[in-house]
């Protein structure tokens, strides 16, 4: 714990936003920082949750402890709806209260002796949880990196896919696609190389597919679209951005039966033990909502909300392109990654906040390769997105 | 069939063991001891693709040696597995579950309607909320502080809302790290020991004594009134203490807890006090460790709505980390717990929190106490039954668990016999530690008719 540098990134952003509103009580703050969903959840899903909640007051409808691994109907629905034709079975899906929680459970599973690689930049929970579990080594001021973590640089130069030929071998590789924060979605070819790399090194990929629902093109939505992935990859995902469940709390992790430790012991058995010992199941009401999300009408309804956010992303991306800034992401993810050459990202953060009352996230918060970049999230009410665009155009014209 | 209907049906069908684990024998799981050949397992002629060899691919990632230390599955899924196997064997038997402490009675409407309302509100502009504060919603934290800790100087920001005590125990273990030593009561709720093993705080399991090396097991028996003789307990960094106790049902007195706090103070230890059953207390014992002066400097308290409000599936609990609790270098434990909560967790469900808040309204509290009262009546019936059969019976007064002595018998044998001959599921005491051997835990959660029927069957078997 002592090894952690500061507070977790997102509460820091919250705090700065809060302090700003205290100083400027009349300013209309627009939040494009933390990727927090804003649009209401479709009726078909919330009414399923309300119905389930009310039924808990009846003898027939009351349920106590659920299976720690999740409600079987939901596990099967996830496997069949989201992993169709990929050979993933219901019993390989573990329902949880969210991807951030699952990442720590996976860290607990793997223990402190494993080595870790992350993309640079990446979602801070991978690094921070690695530090907490004692595998990161000491933080090095000059490089902005933890000594024992392998950072795989992802930049426009390498099309946001790491150069695996110069990547040191590690036990675990965290990989997020579509990526938070760069918004980049890896291609099938790139993921094939990643799976081959993992196979050659005997590594385990922890693949975060929380933003898969935002993909617009043919980019793979799951690592299991790649042959051989079941023997090397765990996939973590979430209903947060897919269904607006950021407060409701629901996610899942896939651990294929084929995934084995070096002594042949199936990883799934140990993960099941973690889930039974350190967890007590995802909230039952949230699971009822999750099941509704995966019904044909529910899925269609959530797709409409995602389309709304994607339109927001387009507006933001177009805004920056019109300002002749280099813009990345936005097409396959709700994040837009903008290059501000020669400037420190925290300085840009402060300037944008001070002059336009817009909260963003400085790229360096995601790792040293995020320096000079800013992440803009596309979650927000359309009028706020439009207003933010107006203000940014004003500032940077 | 509506979506929620199909969901409910699936939920009510059983249980957890989705893969076939080896026979549960107390001597161990065994797989990790089997040496694996260095080469791949072999070539199989594959009809579909004659070019391919069927070999088992293994990564080069070593299995976490701490996981390998665990002796078997977690206790309660094992109980569930046995219950399911029994159901298969006797499909017409009316199996009554007094094993896993799973609540059975519906949640009062004042609480579920708050959750239903919150759910429906999420479909509206005004009612939608995204990420909540990871520590929990302020009104709920404030309500818990004032309802349960009103006079003890515990403040709203000392309270961290969670998805349950079991999850909090593991988060606390992450805060403590792998270099701490720990003490548990013997017998005790298995999550304390198991999470400690997983975190790497312990040595190997010693089969002869059925204990993990480096854990200090504090024996709690009828002879010592289920409170450990602290003069014989070695110093550890962390002390897990549960009162009212799962599984023995015993509640520590003010004098005993004062001793415990003094012991912790003297040794500079941190007590993790599990008060999940506090509202079942009939006697005038402390309901919170913070009733004891000085406790804020040595104790963390964890609790849960599971057994108060039937929230076993809904998932809501909390942990109190007082500002006054400091590590040896003076760093506040609450700061690290907060960091864990922000990094390894993302807040309890907003719907569950709405329900939890409704529980603490005057109407909600009244309703909760009614349900607790119902389970306490169940407990009385079970206690009376075993007393009438001449057994030595403990617990039951201050907790929904009855701890029955079966001298000279292996508790798994008694468990099996009771299951086989009365179709009633209980929990063998040895599942809670070697100090539980010779005891059976009977849980009092159940519909009244099932409790009465189970007691009839016990009387038949043991008359």
């Amino acid at each position: 714990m002592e090894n952690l540098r500061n507070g977790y990134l997102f509460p820091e952003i919250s705090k700065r936003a809060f302090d700003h509103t205290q100083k400027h009580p009349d300013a209309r703050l627009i939040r494009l920082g933390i990727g927090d969903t804003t649009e209401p959840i479709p009726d078909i899903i919330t009414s399923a949750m309300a119905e389930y909640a009310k039924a808990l007051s009846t003898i027939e409808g009351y349920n106590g402890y659920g299976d720690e691994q999740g409600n079987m109907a939901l596990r099967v629905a996830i496997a069949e709806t989201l992993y169709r034709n990929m050979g993933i079975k219901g019993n390989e899906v573990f329902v949880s209260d969210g991807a951030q929680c699952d990442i720590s459970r996976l860290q607990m599973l793997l223990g402190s002796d494993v080595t870790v690689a992350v993309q640079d930049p990446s979602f801070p929970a991978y690094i921070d949880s690695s530090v907490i579990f004692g595998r990161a080594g000491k933080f090095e001021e000059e490089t902005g990196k933890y000594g024992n973590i392998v950072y795989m640089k992802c930049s426009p130069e390498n099309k946001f896919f790491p150069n695996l030929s110069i990547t040191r071998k590690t036990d675990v590789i965290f990989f997020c696609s579509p990526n938070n924060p760069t918004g980049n979605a890896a291609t099938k070819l790139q993921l094939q190389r990643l799976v081959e790399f993992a196979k050659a090194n005997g590594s385990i990929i922890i693949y975060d597919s929380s933003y898969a629902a935002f993909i617009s093109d043919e980019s793979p939505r799951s690592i299991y679209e790649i042959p051989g992935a079941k023997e090397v990859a765990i996939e973590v995902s979430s209903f947060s951005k897919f269904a607006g469940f950021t407060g409701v709390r629901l996610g899942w992790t896939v651990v294929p039966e084929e995934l084995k430790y070096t002594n042949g012991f199936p990883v799934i058995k140990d993960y099941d033990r973690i889930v039974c010992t350190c967890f007590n199941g995802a909230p039952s009401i949230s699971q009822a909502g999750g099941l509704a999300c995966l019904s044909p009408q529910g899925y269609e309804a959530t797709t409409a909300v995602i389309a709304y956010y994607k339109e927001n992303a387009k507006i933001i991306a177009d805004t920056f392109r019109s300002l002749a800034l280099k813009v990345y992401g936005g097409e396959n993810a709700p994040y837009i990654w903008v290059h501000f050459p020669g400037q420190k990202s925290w300085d840009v953060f402060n300037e944008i906040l001070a002059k336009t009352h817009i909260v963003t996230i400085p790229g360096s918060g995601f790792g040293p390769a995020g320096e000079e970049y800013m992440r803009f999230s596309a979650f927000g009410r359309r009028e706020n997105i439009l207003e933010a665009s107006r203000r940014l155009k004003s500032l940077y014209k | 069939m509506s979506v929620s209907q199909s969901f409910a049906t699936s939920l009510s069908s059983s249980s957890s063991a989705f893969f076939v684990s080896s026979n549960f024998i107390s001597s161990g799981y065994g797989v990790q001891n089997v040496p694996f050949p260095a080469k791949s397992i072999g070539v199989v002629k594959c009809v579909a693709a004659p070019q391919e060899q069927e070999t088992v691919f293994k990564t080069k990632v070593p299995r976490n040696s701490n996981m390998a230390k665990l002796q078997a599955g977690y206790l309660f899924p094992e109980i569930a597995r046995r219950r399911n196997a029994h159901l298969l064997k006797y499909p017409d038997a009316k199996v009554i579950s007094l094993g896993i402490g799973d609540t059975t009675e519906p949640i009062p409407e004042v609480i579920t309607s708050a959750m239903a309302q919150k759910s429906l509100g999420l479909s509206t502009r005004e009612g939608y909320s995204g990420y909540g504060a990871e520590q929990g919603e302020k009104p709920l934290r404030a309500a818990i502080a004032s309802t349960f800790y009103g006079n003890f100087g515990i403040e709203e920001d000392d309270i961290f809302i969670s998805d349950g005590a079991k999850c909090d125990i593991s988060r606390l273990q992450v805060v403590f790290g792998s270099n701490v030593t720990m003490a548990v009561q013997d017998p005790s709720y298995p999550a304390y020991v198991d999470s400690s093993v997983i975190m790497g705080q312990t040595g190997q399991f010693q089969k002869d004594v059925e204990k993990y090396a480096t854990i200090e097991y504090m024996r709690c028996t009828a002879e010592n009134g289920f409170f450990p003789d602290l003069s014989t307990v070695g110093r550890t960094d962390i002390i897990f203490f549960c009162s009212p106790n799962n599984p023995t049902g015993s509640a520590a007195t003010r004098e005993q807890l004062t001793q415990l706090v003094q012991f912790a103070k003297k040794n500079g230890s941190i007590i993790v006090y599990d008060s999940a059953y506090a509202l079942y207390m009939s006697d005038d014992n402390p309901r919170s460790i913070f009733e004891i002066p000085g406790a804020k400097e040595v104790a963390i308290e964890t609790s849960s709505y599971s057994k108060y409000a039937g929230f076993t599936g809904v998932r809501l609990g909390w942990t109190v980390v007082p500002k006054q609790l400091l590590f040896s270098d003076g760093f506040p434990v609450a700061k690290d717990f907060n960091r864990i909560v922000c990094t390894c967790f993302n807040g309890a469900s907003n719907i569950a929190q709405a329900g939890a808040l409704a529980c603490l309204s005057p109407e909600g509290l009244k309703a909760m106490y009614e349900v607790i009262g119902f389970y306490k009546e169940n407990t009385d019936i079970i206690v009376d039954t075993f007393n009438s059969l001449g057994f030595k019976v403990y617990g039951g007064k201050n907790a929904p668990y009855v701890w029955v002595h079966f001298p000279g018998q292996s508790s798994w044998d008694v468990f099996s016999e009771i299951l086989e001959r009365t179709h009633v599921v209980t929990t063998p005491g040895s599942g809670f530690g070697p100090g539980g051997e010779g005891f059976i835990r009977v849980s009092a959660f159940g519909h009244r008719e099932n409790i009465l029927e189970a007691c009839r069957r016990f009387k038949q078997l043991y008359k």
Side-chain angles (χ1 to χ4, degrees):
Chain A
M1 292 300 296
E2 283 177 283
N3 212 7
L4 285 170
R5 292 299 292 159
N6 304 300
Y8 190 53
L9 174 64
F10 304 106
E12 285 293 330
I13 302 294
S14 278
K15 186 177 179 309
R16 296 218 186 188
F18 179 75
D19 291 347
H20 186 80
T21 54
Q22 299 295 92
K23 273 204 307 235
H24 305 270
D26 298 324
R28 198 177 123 208
L29 193 75
I30 296 179
R31 294 169 202 276
L32 302 183
I34 296 168
D36 193 7
T37 48
T38 54
E39 298 312 288
I41 298 171
D43 279 333
I44 184 178
I45 295 157
T46 56
S47 51
M49 294 196 286
E51 237 182 270
Y52 185 86
K54 286 197 279 224
L56 291 171
S57 282
T58 68
I59 304 258
E60 324 72 50
Y62 180 75
N63 289 296
Y65 284 117
D67 292 339
E68 296 92 338
Q69 304 84 356
N71 168 265
M72 199 36 129
L74 178 57
R75 296 166 80 189
V76 168
I78 289 170
E80 291 181 353
T81 312
L82 303 172
Y83 297 96
R84 199 185 314 253
N85 299 326
M86 297 178 215
I88 296 296
K89 307 194 285 287
N91 66 295
E92 293 169 311
V93 178
F94 293 81
V95 182
S96 75
D97 62 327
Q100 185 161 282
C101 320
D102 278 346
I103 283 158
S104 283
R105 276 186 277 269
L106 287 166
Q107 299 281 33
M108 205 156 206
L109 165 77
L110 296 165
S112 50
D113 291 337
V114 295
T115 53
V116 163
V118 295
Q119 288 166 291
D120 181 13
S122 69
F123 180 51
Y126 314 142
I127 288 177
D128 286 14
S129 60
S130 296
V131 174
I132 289 169
F133 281 87
R135 342 195 172 96
K138 283 255 160 269
F139 186 77
E140 294 156 5
E141 288 287 356
E142 329 83 63
T143 56
K145 298 180 179 182
Y146 285 91
N148 290 349
I149 295 183
V150 170
Y151 289 70
M152 306 183 295
K153 186 164 189 178
C154 291
S155 64
E157 292 71 44
N158 60 18
K159 296 196 168 58
F160 295 103
F161 188 78
N163 181 352
L164 296 174
S165 63
I166 58 165
T167 300
R168 227 167 68 221
K169 173 190 156 160
T170 54
D171 296 305
V172 176
I173 305 167
F174 281 97
F175 200 91
C176 177
S177 177
N179 189 259
N180 175 11
T182 68
N184 181 69
T187 64
K188 187 156 193 174
L189 210 58
Q190 288 171 330
L191 292 179
Q192 271 167 358
R193 281 173 22 218
L194 181 68
V195 168
E196 276 157 21
F197 179 72
K199 256 215 155 94
N201 286 340
S203 311
I204 293 178
I205 300 165
I206 295 179
Y207 190 84
D208 186 342
S209 66
S210 300
Y211 300 97
F214 288 81
I215 291 178
S216 301
D217 56 22
E218 292 307 305
S219 305
R221 292 184 170 216
S222 163
I223 190 68
Y224 304 115
E225 290 189 35
I226 311 301
K230 285 197 288 198
E231 293 165 327
V232 294
I234 290 170
E235 182 161 307
V236 179
S237 195
S238 170
F239 281 83
S240 283
K241 308 297 164 45
F242 158 44
F245 270 31
T246 37
V248 173
R249 307 309 316 147
L250 193 68
W252 72 88
T253 288
V254 180
V255 186
E257 288 170 338
E258 291 91 330
L259 186 67
K260 300 196 179 354
Y261 290 115
T262 191
N263 68 352
F265 194 84
V267 177
I268 194 175
K269 281 191 170 168
D270 274 354
Y271 193 64
D272 183 74
R273 186 48 151 107
I274 294 282
V275 153
C276 289
T277 309
C278 308
F279 185 54
N280 227 335
S284 53
I285 299 169
S286 310
Q287 294 194 64
L291 200 58
C293 287
L294 298 177
S295 68
Q297 313 97 294
Y299 195 80
E300 207 187 303
T302 55
T303 302
V305 181
I306 289 168
Y308 181 90
Y309 292 131
K310 287 172 72 159
E311 184 60 35
N312 285 351
K314 185 169 185 303
I315 291 167
I316 296 170
D318 285 346
T319 299
F320 283 107
R321 272 193 272 268
S322 76
L323 295 166
L325 285 164
K326 288 234 172 57
V327 178
Y328 306 95
E331 282 196 29
N332 289 314
Y335 298 122
I336 299 96
W337 189 241
V338 185
H339 192 206
F340 287 80
Q343 299 190 60
K344 283 197 118 31
S345 54
W346 273 110
D347 290 344
V348 180
F349 170 89
N350 289 329
E351 190 188 6
I352 293 178
L353 183 57
K355 295 187 178 166
T356 66
H357 309 298
I358 296 173
V359 187
T360 57
I361 305 201
S364 59
F366 299 98
E371 191 57 284
E372 292 192 0
Y373 288 84
M374 297 299 295
R375 188 192 87 172
F376 295 84
S377 126
F379 295 108
R381 302 253 63 237
R382 183 61 51 76
E383 57 262 27
N384 288 334
I385 301 294
L386 291 168
E387 173 64 16
S389 293
R390 269 189 288 273
R391 296 183 195 175
L392 290 164
K393 276 182 174 150
S394 252
L395 177 63
Y396 287 114
K397 65 175 184 286
Chain B
M1 189 161 56
S2 81
V3 164
S4 61
Q5 249 182 293
S6 66
F7 183 77
T9 320
S10 317
L11 266 193
S12 58
S13 71
S14 278
S15 155
S16 65
F18 71 99
F19 62 87
V20 181
S21 57
S22 55
N23 268 335
F24 180 76
I25 31 176
S26 54
S27 62
Y29 197 71
V31 175
Q32 65 275 21
N33 298 323
V34 175
F36 265 77
K39 295 192 280 203
S40 54
I41 280 173
V43 178
V44 169
K45 286 202 184 97
C46 184
V47 176
Q51 306 282 52
E52 284 177 39
Q53 282 190 347
E54 184 100 72
T55 57
V56 173
F57 178 83
K58 291 172 278 190
T59 66
K60 296 197 177 109
V61 180
R63 183 184 181 207
N64 183 349
S65 57
N66 295 324
M67 297 300 295
K69 285 179 189 147
L70 290 167
Q71 288 304 292
Y74 188 59
L75 176 64
F76 301 111
E78 288 297 331
I79 303 294
R81 207 180 53 77
R82 294 239 183 168
R83 174 184 171 272
N84 294 340
H86 187 79
L87 270 167
L88 283 174
K89 204 167 144 193
Y90 301 101
D92 297 323
K94 194 176 144 211
V95 173
I96 299 177
S97 296
L98 302 183
I100 298 167
D102 193 7
T103 47
T104 55
E105 300 313 287
I107 299 173
E109 268 179 45
V110 61
I111 298 160
T112 56
S113 52
M115 295 196 287
Q117 235 183 74
K118 175 75 183 179
S119 302
L120 293 171
L122 293 170
S123 279
T124 68
R125 189 136 309 292
E126 323 72 48
Y128 181 77
S129 57
Y131 284 118
E134 296 93 336
Q135 305 82 359
E137 285 163 21
K138 277 187 181 298
L140 179 57
R141 296 169 81 187
I144 288 176
S146 64
T147 306
F148 296 106
Y149 305 100
N151 301 320
F152 314 137
I154 294 294
E155 294 166 338
E156 170 197 316
D157 57 359
D158 295 323
I159 313 271
F160 295 81
I161 308 295
S162 76
D163 62 326
K166 189 189 205 191
C167 319
D168 278 345
I169 284 158
S170 281
R171 278 187 277 269
L172 285 167
Q173 296 284 35
V174 175
V175 172
F176 300 141
S178 48
N179 291 329
V180 296
T181 51
M182 60 97 86
V184 289
Q185 289 165 290
D186 179 18
S188 69
Y189 178 55
Y192 314 140
V193 167
D194 286 12
S195 61
S196 184
V197 175
I198 289 170
M199 276 306 293
Q201 295 165 357
T202 77
Q204 293 292 340
F205 186 74
Q206 297 160 317
K207 286 197 169 56
D208 50 343
V209 290
E210 301 215 323
K211 296 180 178 184
Y212 288 94
T214 74
I215 293 185
E216 185 77 25
Y217 289 75
M218 307 184 293
R219 211 67 191 283
C220 291
T221 63
E223 289 70 43
N224 62 17
F226 298 102
F227 187 80
D229 179 357
L230 295 175
S231 68
T232 66
V233 175
R235 187 210 170 266
T236 56
D237 296 307
I238 313 294
I239 304 169
F240 280 93
F241 199 90
C242 177
S243 177
N245 191 260
N246 175 9
T248 69
S250 169
T253 64
R254 190 168 306 271
E255 293 65 46
Q256 289 170 331
L257 291 180
T258 305
Q259 257 186 71
L260 182 67
V261 168
Q262 281 166 1
F263 179 72
K265 254 215 157 87
K266 183 176 64 125
N267 287 339
S269 309
I270 295 177
I271 299 166
V272 175
Y273 190 82
D274 186 341
S275 65
Y277 300 97
L279 295 189
Y280 284 80
M281 192 87 72
S282 287
D283 293 332
D284 188 27
N285 298 311
R287 290 176 175 211
S288 163
I289 190 66
F290 301 116
E291 291 191 37
I292 310 299
K296 289 204 290 259
E297 294 162 328
V298 293
I300 290 169
E301 180 161 310
T302 190
S303 194
S304 169
Y305 276 81
S306 284
K307 308 300 164 42
Y308 295 167
F311 269 31
T312 37
V314 174
R315 309 307 316 147
L316 206 302
W318 73 87
T319 288
V320 185
V321 188
K323 300 176 190 59
Q324 296 85 340
L325 185 67
L326 308 175
F327 286 117
S328 62
D329 65 355
F331 195 84
V333 177
K335 277 203 163 147
D336 273 356
F337 191 68
N338 187 62
R339 186 47 150 107
I340 294 291
V341 153
C342 290
T343 310
C344 306
F345 184 55
N346 227 332
S349 174
N350 50 15
I351 299 169
Q353 292 194 62
L357 193 59
C359 286
L360 301 183
S361 66
E363 211 190 326
L365 278 168
K366 181 166 177 290
M368 272 207 308
Y369 273 109
E370 271 165 24
V371 180
I372 289 169
F374 175 86
Y375 290 130
K376 283 176 72 74
E377 279 166 18
N378 283 354
T379 318
D380 290 341
I381 293 167
I382 297 169
V383 168
D384 288 345
T385 299
F386 280 100
N387 270 329
S388 75
L389 293 167
F391 284 95
K392 284 230 176 61
V393 179
Y394 305 96
K397 192 150 187 243
N398 296 306
Y401 298 121
V402 184
W403 192 237
V404 186
H405 194 207
F406 284 80
Q409 301 187 59
S410 134
S411 54
W412 273 107
D413 287 347
V414 179
F415 165 89
S416 296
E417 190 190 15
I418 293 177
L419 182 57
E420 187 65 30
R421 298 178 58 187
T422 67
H423 306 302
V424 177
V425 187
T426 57
T427 312
S430 61
F432 299 96
E437 188 55 285
F439 285 87
I440 290 288
R441 186 192 83 170
V442 184
S443 113
F445 297 107
H447 297 322
R448 184 58 50 81
E449 58 267 23
N450 288 335
I451 300 293
L452 291 168
E453 174 60 20
C455 287
R456 267 191 288 275
R457 297 181 194 177
F458 292 144
K459 283 183 170 146
Q460 268 290 101
L461 178 61
Y462 289 116
K463 66 175 187 284

